[in-house]
């Protein structure tokens, strides 16, 4: 059987989405699929392009799962550009001379940035903002520049301005129109946005028509001249003045194109040639092209269906958007400028908190036509559902945008009011009924719903709504969300924490009697032990709690595979004196311990017999060390780079801060282990963004990132607050740490905790920075108590005779474990393998 | 021939913990689940890791029976018969244990 040949030109977001959708739907044995990818890498997420500046890995942005193309036998020609299409012969030639034949061709060539014809715009200081290569070039230039300007105050322009700001250059935005984001906002909304953006230090110039860029200036490398005679000196310029459909190839092969550009398509996304489709930004439907990703995704679906002879059609797209630009929440729905004849508006303006909301309703007041939201987009999802599903407005439509304190009650549209067909996630076209189905199939968390339906994995704007639907469905189905820690307690860790704290419960036995049943197990015991330790800062070794602790916590070392322990003294911030090193070396030699620098910038000694631990620690403590809590679910360490004290690039004293923070939080028991990082400049040598708490120095203070994670599932930390002075930083950290300790489930790293926190990082900001829950005083005082009661667990243990008795291997003999056997390796020792120690074991037995 | 060997005073085992005793050359893990005088004894070696660590595990209750979870990889062993909850083909030796006049005795 001859396979049908599908060729896709373009491997952007939409081109890739088509392949994904097709792979899902089709019997791939019947098709041979080839894709042209002109860029040097496969499809990546252009919507979140700016995030590239904060993590610098193209992989992070990639949309293609590793091995995806190979697995489905899809050939992707990376770096190859389709030069010509011969529709008569049905063949495409690329710049390498390759000829690829097709039966069906899908054009997904996207768009190109349009740059106005300004004299001087070809200078090497001029850029566009579209690909990872563009970003690399902008960043390299920003490093040797002081002032950058973005021409274009639209959505993408402001996104670019945010990136320039983050790169640390003085940032200007030039807009031709009298208002920012003229496409999406009305005049007043644009003004409010401008105020907010200016307040964070971005300079906005509207109504400016750039005429010329001259490659000289007094304070910068270039001078921009405007039509009104004014001028601005800048080092480099980023153009973000709109996009145009990439239809060059279509024109070359004679396909019909639209007047304003774009390959003309019908409702099946077919071009004037029935064997050629066009999807995404390169396509023009009804003389319109769509610069958003969601309509492109819909077109991709339509084409996949059409090739497989299933019915589907493209019927236009909703261009509503909700985004965060330069930290400002902005939302725009439907007819934002109120252009519908006889429409009426309701406006809410709060200059105090810089909030502007306007809704545009139909003449009869029954349907919502559009909305503009600046500064507060909480009602976005609700409003969007009114327009998308044409739901009749309440009697007083203004109740939809009035704040809660106005007293008109919760005007939120209950999710029950939404029809099953309501689109909840527009990026992936997920309907309310899809989510309901996933819930019935047993997916009961946001994470599971995202994985199952794809909802919320695009722009993420619909997550609050998904959460509502999820909860409503769960309640409807009588499903009780269970996060009981085990069979012995029908409570979550968070609930147990509150019970213990509020009722002042001090022992496991007391808690079990009152709230649990049975004896307890290896799950609830250490969990409760950890809560008791963080609530009451009791010495973790008090014998009442002994039976609750994992062996690591009892013997204050990490048990290794052969039953020996590791010894890791604290070296706060990675600092150690030569004298300290000598003391560590002497102990290691005396007890023949394997010695290694750990991943946490400190020295680990391995292979210590339990019975030797007290003597080893006695010596280390005498030399000024204390326990490093490497065995505990607690703050492990603060990794630091050398910082401004020594480094010629450093802008703040990262080691000093790291040492101070490590000493502040050491010993505090947390739901899982925690790691900090402090970098002295933006080069980020301490890899702080991969830590639970990451702090990066800026010229004017510290940026605080939280909830990152290395390990099994690496996760970049998210920015909680920027340019903090040390006092504020420590205050936020106190709150953050205690809030995590209070609310996280057992063995939940901060990254997972944040993912499950509904509202995510924005909610966390509200709690930590804005005191939304009103608990910050309490969190701070709890932390102060915990800090005040810190003691070195090893120092305490060494003075406790009853505990020390338990360090011998046998209760009734002074012998050591004869099954602990070592083999020399690279000048040190390692645990012997089974076959290496078998003979030794035999001899021992014979002696007995 | 069989005999009871005295290993230690009951009070030297903290409630809810275990200790390791050397009995006739064998490493025996002795557990005291609560304040009461009930004790259990099984072999101390974790058969998966082949390390003598079971006495340092957490005592836990599952299926209404008492077990110890190995501190290495958390497999659970029954305190009465040494069977393993995770893998029915593996078990450790279990021994008789009792308290006489405040002393713990083990019978191999």
């Amino acid at each position: 059987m001859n396979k049908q040949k599908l060729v896709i030109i373009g491997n952007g977001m939409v081109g890739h989405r088509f392949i994904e959708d097709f792979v899902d739907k089709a019997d791939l044995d019947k098709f041979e699929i080839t894709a042209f990818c002109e860029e040097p890498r496969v499809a990546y997420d252009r919507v979140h392009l700016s995030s590239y500046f904060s993590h610098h890995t193209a992989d992070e942005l990639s949309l293609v799962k590793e091995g995806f193309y190979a697995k489905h036998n899809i050939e992707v020609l990376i770096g190859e550009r389709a030069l010509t299409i011969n529709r008569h012969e049905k063949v495409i030639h690329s710049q390498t001379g390759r000829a690829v034949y097709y039966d069906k061709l899908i054009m997904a060539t996207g768009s190109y940035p349009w740059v106005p014809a300004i004299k001087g715009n070809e200078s090497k200081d001029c850029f566009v903002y579209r690909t990872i290569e563009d970003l690399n070039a902008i960043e390299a230039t920003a490093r040797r520049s002081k002032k950058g300007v973005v021409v274009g105050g639209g959505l993408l322009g402001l996104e670019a301005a945010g990136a320039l700001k983050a790169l640390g250059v003085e940032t200007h935005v030039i807009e031709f129109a009298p208002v920012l984001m003229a496409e999406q906002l009305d005049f007043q909304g644009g003004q409010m946005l401008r105020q907010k953006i200016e307040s964070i230090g971005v300079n906005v110039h509207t109504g400016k028509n750039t005429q010329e860029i001259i490659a000289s200036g007094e304070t910068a490398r270039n001078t921009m001249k405007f039509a009104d005679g004014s001028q601005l000196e800048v080092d480099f310029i980023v153009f973000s003045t709109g996009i145009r459909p990439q239809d060059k190839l279509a024109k070359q092969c004679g396909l019909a194109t639209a007047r304003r550009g774009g390959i003309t398509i019908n409702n099946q996304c077919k071009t004037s040639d029935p064997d050629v489709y066009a999807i995404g930004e390169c396509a023009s439907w009804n003389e319109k092209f769509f610069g958003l990703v969601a309509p492109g995704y819909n077109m991709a679906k339509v084409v996949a269906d059409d090739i497989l002879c299933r019915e589907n059609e493209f019927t236009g797209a909703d261009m509503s958007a909700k985004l965060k630009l330069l930290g400002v929440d902005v939302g725009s729905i439907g007819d934002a400028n109120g252009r519908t004849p006889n429409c009426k508006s309701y406006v809410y303006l709060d200059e105090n908190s810089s909030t502007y909301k306007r809704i545009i309703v139909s003449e009869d007041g029954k349907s919502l036509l559009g909305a503009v939201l600046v500064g507060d987009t909480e009602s976005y999802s609700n409003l969007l559902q009114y327009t998308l599903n044409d739901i009749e407005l309440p009697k007083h439509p203004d109740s939809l945008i009035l704040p809660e304190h106005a007293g008109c009650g919760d005007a939120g549209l209950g999710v029950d009011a939404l029809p099953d067909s309501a689109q909840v996630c527009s990026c992936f076209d997920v309907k309310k009924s899809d989510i309901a189905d996933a819930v019935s199939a047993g997916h009961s968390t946001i994470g599971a719903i995202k994985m199952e339906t794809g909802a919320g994995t695009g722009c993420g704007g619909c997550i609050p709504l998904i959460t509502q639907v999820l909860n409503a469905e769960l309640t409807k189905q009588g499903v009780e969300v269970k996060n009981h820690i085990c069979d012995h307690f029908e409570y979550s860790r968070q609930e147990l924490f509150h019970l213990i704290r509020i009722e002042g419960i001090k022992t496991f036995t007391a808690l079990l009697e009152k709230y649990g049943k049975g004896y307890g197990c290896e799950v609830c015991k250490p969990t409760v032990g950890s809560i008791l330790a963080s609530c009451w800062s009791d010495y973790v070794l008090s014998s009442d709690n002994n039976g609750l602790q994992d062996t690591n916590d009892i013997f204050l070392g990490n048990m290794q595979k052969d039953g020996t322990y590791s010894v890791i003294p604290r070296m706060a911030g990675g600092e150690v004196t030569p004298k300290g090193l000598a003391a560590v070396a002497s102990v290691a030699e005396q007890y023949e311990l394997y010695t290694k620098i750990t991943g946490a910038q400190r020295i680990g000694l391995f292979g210590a017999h339990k019975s030797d631990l007290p003597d080893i620690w006695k010596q280390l403590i005498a030399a000024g060390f204390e326990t490093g809590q490497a065995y505990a679910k607690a703050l492990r360490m603060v990794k630091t780079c050398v910082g401004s004290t020594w480094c010629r690039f450093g802008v703040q004293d990262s080691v000093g801060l790291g040492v101070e923070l490590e000493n502040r939080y050491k010993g505090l028991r947390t739901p899982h282990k925690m790691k900090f990082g402090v970098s002295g400049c933006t080069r980020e040598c301490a890899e702080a963004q991969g830590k639970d708490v990451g702090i990066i120095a800026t010229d004017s203070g510290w940026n605080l990132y939280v909830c990152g994670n290395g390990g099994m599932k690496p996760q970049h930390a998210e920015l909680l607050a920027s340019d903090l002075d040390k006092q504020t930083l420590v205050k936020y950290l106190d709150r953050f740490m205690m809030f995590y300790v209070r609310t996280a489930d057992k063995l939940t790293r901060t990254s997972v905790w944040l993912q499950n926190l509904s509202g995510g990082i924005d909610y966390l900001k509200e709690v930590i920075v804005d005191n939304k829950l009103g608990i910050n005083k309490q969190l701070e005082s709890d932390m102060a108590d915990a800090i005040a009661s810190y003691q070195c667990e090893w120092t305490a243990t060494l003075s406790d005779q009853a505990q020390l008795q338990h360090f011998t291997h046998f209760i009734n003999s002074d012998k050591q474990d004869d099954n602990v056997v070592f083999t020399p390796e690279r000048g040190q020792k390692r645990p012997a393998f089974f076959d290496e120690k078998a003979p030794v074991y035999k001899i021992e037995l014979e002696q007995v | 021939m069989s005999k009871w060997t005295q290993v230690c005073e009951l009070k030297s085992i903290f409630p809810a913990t275990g200790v390791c005793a050397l009995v006739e050359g064998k490493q025996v893990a002795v557990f005291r689940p609560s304040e009461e005088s009930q004790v259990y004894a099984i072999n101390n070696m974790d058969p998966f890791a082949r390390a003598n660590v079971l006495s340092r595990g957490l005592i836990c209750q599952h299926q209404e029976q008492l077990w110890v979870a190995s501190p290495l990889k958390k497999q659970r062993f029954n305190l009465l018969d040494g069977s393993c909850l995770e893998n029915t083909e593996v078990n450790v030796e279990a021994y008789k244990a009792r308290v006489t006049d405040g002393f713990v005795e083990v019978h191999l």
Side-chain angles (χ1 to χ4, degrees):
Chain A
M1 188 190 73
N2 266 345
K3 292 186 175 183
Q4 191 174 12
K5 293 191 184 71
L6 290 190
V7 176
I8 302 104
I9 301 182
N11 194 244
M13 298 182 76
V14 172
H16 173 66
R17 178 75 188 146
F18 167 77
I19 298 177
E20 275 188 335
D21 198 50
F22 197 76
V23 163
D24 265 358
K25 290 174 176 165
D27 174 2
L28 291 183
D29 290 340
K30 295 187 181 145
F31 297 92
E32 187 181 313
I33 305 176
T34 310
F36 283 91
C37 174
E38 183 183 345
E39 284 190 54
R41 61 183 66 77
V42 291
Y44 57 90
D45 184 353
R46 248 187 264 277
V47 174
H48 298 106
L49 193 59
S50 298
S51 72
Y52 178 72
F53 283 127
S54 57
H55 53 66
H56 286 97
T57 52
D59 286 353
E60 185 96 355
L61 284 174
S62 180
L63 293 172
V64 185
K65 288 193 193 99
E66 212 183 317
F68 171 82
Y69 288 133
K71 183 175 156 201
H72 298 292
N73 232 346
I74 293 161
E75 189 176 12
V76 181
L77 307 170
I78 294 172
E80 258 186 82
R81 184 148 57 96
L83 279 187
T84 59
I85 300 170
N86 181 335
R87 290 195 287 125
H88 191 64
E89 308 270 332
K90 292 192 158 185
V91 61
I92 299 151
H93 286 96
S94 80
Q95 97 274 23
T96 63
R98 189 197 302 260
V100 179
Y101 287 85
Y102 68 84
D103 295 312
K104 298 277 180 197
L105 172 64
I106 296 103
M107 312 267 296
T109 47
S111 63
Y112 61 91
W114 176 77
V115 178
I118 295 169
K119 202 173 156 197
N121 70 8
E122 71 289 344
S123 143
K124 64 177 172 28
D125 280 325
C126 290
F127 303 92
V128 293
Y129 197 83
R130 171 131 184 118
T131 66
I132 287 181
E133 277 63 37
D134 295 334
L135 265 56
N136 283 334
I138 291 171
E139 184 175 23
T141 302
R143 286 217 169 143
R144 50 184 183 85
S145 304
K146 287 207 177 84
K147 263 166 116 174
V149 64
V150 176
V151 180
L155 200 154
L156 193 65
L158 295 181
E159 179 85 24
L164 294 198
K165 182 97 194 355
L167 286 171
V169 295
E170 183 186 316
T171 305
H172 295 259
V173 173
I174 309 285
E175 168 59 46
F176 179 73
V179 58
L180 292 173
M181 285 185 73
E183 284 278 309
Q184 289 88 5
L185 302 182
D186 62 351
F187 185 79
Q188 183 109 38
Q191 285 298 104
M192 180 64 81
L193 177 64
R194 175 183 185 146
Q195 270 175 31
K196 293 201 93 161
I197 290 176
E198 285 180 332
S199 74
I200 60 163
V202 171
N203 306 283
V204 178
H205 315 263
T206 52
K208 293 275 177 195
N209 183 4
T210 314
Q211 296 213 302
E212 191 180 359
I213 297 162
I214 300 165
S216 68
E218 279 172 25
T219 59
R221 292 196 295 275
N222 299 286
T223 306
M224 301 178 76
K225 294 203 158 195
F226 304 111
D228 60 5
S230 59
Q231 55 184 46
L232 177 69
E233 297 199 353
V234 293
D235 289 312
F236 68 101
I237 299 117
V238 177
F239 282 100
S240 179
T241 35
I243 55 165
R244 296 290 182 269
Q246 183 53 272
D247 54 9
K248 205 167 127 194
L249 203 50
K251 283 182 173 147
Q252 173 270 322
C253 68
L255 289 172
T257 51
R259 250 184 320 123
R260 297 172 58 207
I263 310 166
T264 307
I265 56 168
N266 64 12
N267 287 6
Q268 272 65 48
C269 301
K270 275 188 180 143
T271 65
S272 54
D273 177 339
D275 289 325
V276 181
Y277 298 86
I279 55 178
E281 290 173 344
C282 68
S284 173
W285 177 86
N286 274 0
E287 290 288 318
K288 271 187 287 195
F289 69 91
F290 302 91
L292 292 182
V293 73
Y297 282 177
N298 280 337
M299 293 180 194
K301 277 186 160 181
V302 169
V303 172
D305 286 334
D306 199 65
I307 292 173
L308 297 168
C309 303
R310 302 180 192 188
E311 266 188 39
N312 198 347
E313 60 179 347
F314 182 77
T315 54
D318 173 60
M319 299 300 278
S320 301
K322 172 183 150 184
L323 21 118
K324 202 177 194 85
L325 291 166
L326 291 151
V328 183
D329 289 307
V330 177
S332 161
I333 294 173
D335 179 11
N337 272 295
R339 295 193 177 112
T340 312
N342 302 324
C343 64
K344 296 182 288 194
S345 289
Y346 294 84
V347 174
Y348 173 76
L349 175 69
D350 170 1
E351 290 189 319
N352 188 38
S353 65
S354 305
T355 306
Y356 171 74
K357 305 186 214 180
R358 173 184 177 196
I359 50 174
I360 294 101
V361 306
S362 61
E363 191 175 6
D364 62 6
K366 287 198 171 144
S367 34
L368 185 68
L369 302 172
V372 179
L373 305 168
V374 178
D376 174 5
T377 51
E378 213 178 295
S379 45
Y380 176 84
S381 300
N382 256 336
L383 294 173
L384 185 63
Q385 292 301 331
Y386 274 102
T387 51
L388 290 184
N389 298 298
D390 204 15
I391 296 168
E392 192 176 324
L393 285 167
K395 194 172 158 215
H396 301 291
D398 50 349
S399 61
L400 295 174
I401 50 170
L402 286 174
E404 215 173 291
H405 59 252
C408 50
D410 179 14
L413 181 62
V415 283
D416 283 342
L418 295 180
D420 283 346
S421 60
Q423 190 186 52
V424 175
C425 166
S426 56
C427 294
F428 289 93
D429 186 24
V430 181
K431 300 189 170 49
K432 183 185 163 193
S433 57
D434 298 330
I435 294 174
D437 290 348
V439 176
S440 326
H443 303 284
S444 55
T445 63
I446 284 287
I449 296 286
K450 280 165 119 179
M451 196 98 92
E452 179 66 17
T453 64
T457 57
C459 71
C462 59
I463 288 183
L465 189 61
I466 301 175
T467 313
Q468 288 178 35
V469 176
L470 169 66
N471 290 342
E473 289 299 320
L474 284 176
T475 319
K476 212 185 284 172
Q477 294 173 7
V479 178
E480 193 191 340
V481 190
K482 271 198 181 178
N483 46 2
H484 301 167
I485 62 167
C486 67
D487 290 346
H488 304 104
F489 289 98
E490 292 186 344
Y491 298 94
S492 67
R493 181 188 174 278
Q494 188 181 355
E495 288 164 335
L496 285 180
F497 189 101
H498 284 291
L499 291 173
I500 288 173
R501 175 151 214 110
I502 291 159
E503 307 204 6
I505 295 172
K506 298 278 168 75
T507 65
F508 180 78
T509 323
L511 184 72
L512 191 68
E513 246 166 48
K514 198 150 182 200
Y515 293 104
K517 58 175 188 232
Y519 175 80
C521 69
E522 77 281 10
V523 175
C524 57
K525 283 178 165 187
T527 304
V528 171
S530 151
I531 298 175
L532 290 172
S534 27
C535 279
W536 312 122
S537 305
D538 267 347
Y539 170 38
V540 282
L541 281 191
S542 87
S543 59
D544 275 346
N545 290 342
N546 243 13
L548 303 183
Q549 313 273 8
D550 283 315
T551 177
N552 290 353
D553 281 297
I554 298 181
F555 299 113
L556 304 166
N558 229 331
M559 185 189 268
Q560 305 297 313
K561 61 194 274 189
D562 60 351
T564 63
Y565 292 82
S566 60
V567 171
I568 303 182
R570 185 166 297 290
M571 293 178 180
E575 271 187 346
V576 59
T577 62
K579 215 171 170 183
L581 268 184
V584 172
S586 128
V587 169
E589 277 203 314
Q590 187 184 342
Y591 291 91
E592 293 180 55
L593 303 174
Y594 168 75
T595 307
K596 181 183 186 307
I597 311 279
T598 69
Q601 290 194 338
R602 45 196 190 178
I603 295 173
L605 308 174
F606 294 79
H609 282 279
K610 188 170 67 148
S611 51
D612 290 335
L613 288 175
D615 285 337
I616 292 172
W617 276 103
K618 202 179 287 173
Q619 294 189 34
L620 289 174
I621 287 167
F625 286 105
E626 58 181 7
T627 178
Q629 268 107 8
Y631 43 82
K633 302 288 179 242
L635 169 67
R636 292 289 170 84
M637 55 89 193
V638 178
K639 181 173 178 175
T640 63
C641 69
V642 181
S644 60
T645 322
W646 291 90
C647 174
R648 64 204 157 100
F649 296 115
V651 294
Q652 305 274 1
D653 175 15
S654 47
V655 179
L657 180 67
V659 170
E660 191 179 328
L661 292 179
E662 184 161 340
N663 284 323
R664 184 173 182 84
Y665 300 117
K666 64 190 175 188
L668 176 76
R669 292 306 197 261
T670 45
H672 208 304
K673 65 180 174 188
M674 290 188 86
K675 295 179 176 181
F676 282 26
V678 184
S679 279
C681 79
T682 179
R683 284 173 181 73
E684 243 288 63
C685 295
E687 296 163 336
Q689 288 169 97
K691 304 278 188 280
D692 297 280
V693 170
I695 297 159
I696 303 177
T698 66
D699 286 335
S700 46
W702 304 94
N703 281 353
L704 172 59
Y705 293 81
V706 294
C707 303
N709 188 160
M712 197 152 53
K713 243 182 112 194
Q715 184 80 35
H716 272 278
E718 297 200 54
L719 185 65
L720 186 77
S722 5
D723 292 330
L724 301 172
D725 58 54
K726 199 173 83 183
Q727 200 188 349
T728 314
L729 174 78
V730 169
K731 193 165 70 181
Y732 285 179
L733 269 178
D734 280 1
R735 297 172 182 173
F736 169 76
M737 298 282 287
M738 260 306 160
F739 189 54
Y740 168 60
V741 168
R742 274 193 176 197
T743 60
D745 261 322
K746 68 182 150 69
L747 294 183
T748 305
R749 288 292 295 264
T750 53
S751 56
V752 180
W753 170 68
L754 181 65
Q755 273 164 22
N756 294 337
L757 212 56
S758 61
I761 187 76
D762 291 332
Y763 173 71
L764 192 60
K765 275 183 204 165
E766 288 170 3
V767 173
I768 306 293
V769 180
D770 308 331
N771 198 14
K772 180 181 177 148
L773 303 178
I775 55 171
N776 285 349
K777 278 272 160 300
Q778 183 67 44
L779 295 177
E780 287 166 33
S781 88
D782 286 355
M783 182 57 86
D785 290 347
I787 293 167
S789 59
Y790 170 80
Q791 53 182 337
C792 166
E793 287 140 19
W794 263 111
T795 309
T797 299
L798 288 174
S799 57
D800 182 343
Q801 273 314 309
Q803 283 293 1
L804 286 176
Q805 274 174 16
H806 287 83
F807 279 87
T808 58
H809 185 70
F810 296 109
I811 189 92
N812 58 348
S813 162
D814 290 335
K815 288 189 183 161
Q816 292 198 323
D817 183 359
D818 60 10
N819 184 42
V820 172
V821 181
F822 299 103
T823 303
E825 191 171 80
R826 292 190 297 278
Q828 299 201 59
K829 67 181 190 184
R830 64 160 166 80
F833 300 134
F834 299 139
D835 52 353
E836 290 169 334
K837 68 180 166 190
V840 181
Y841 207 37
K842 243 183 240 159
I843 295 163
E844 295 277 324
L845 282 177
E846 277 163 14
Q847 283 170 348
V848 169
Chain B
M1 194 195 78
S2 65
K3 62 169 191 189
W4 287 93
T5 307
Q6 197 179 80
V7 296
C8 63
E9 279 187 273
L10 177 66
K11 66 179 185 201
S12 57
I13 310 179
F14 288 141
T17 68
V19 297
C20 173
L22 187 60
V23 182
E24 297 171 32
K26 269 192 182 171
Q27 294 202 15
V28 177
V30 182
F31 298 96
R32 180 187 182 193
S34 67
E35 293 283 346
E36 288 162 33
S37 308
Q38 179 72 50
V39 290
Y40 299 86
I42 61 174
N43 195 287
N44 192 33
M45 183 173 281
D46 175 340
F48 296 97
R50 288 197 246 171
N52 288 312
V53 298
L54 292 186
S55 63
R56 290 174 260 168
L58 276 169
I59 307 171
C60 49
Q61 184 193 47
H62 296 285
Q63 303 171 354
E64 317 237 310
Q65 293 186 316
L66 289 177
W67 310 70
V68 63
S70 167
L72 287 169
K73 295 204 174 157
K74 305 276 184 272
Q75 292 96 348
R76 289 155 298 187
F77 299 92
N78 193 296
L79 295 192
L80 270 175
D81 63 13
S83 63
C84 174
L85 189 63
E86 278 75 18
N87 185 339
T88 48
E89 292 180 10
V90 177
N91 67 302
V92 299
E93 279 185 301
Y95 314 110
K96 289 180 205 151
R98 67 183 183 194
V99 178
T100 310
D101 300 331
F103 282 87
V104 177
E105 296 177 333
V106 172
H107 187 307
L108 293 190

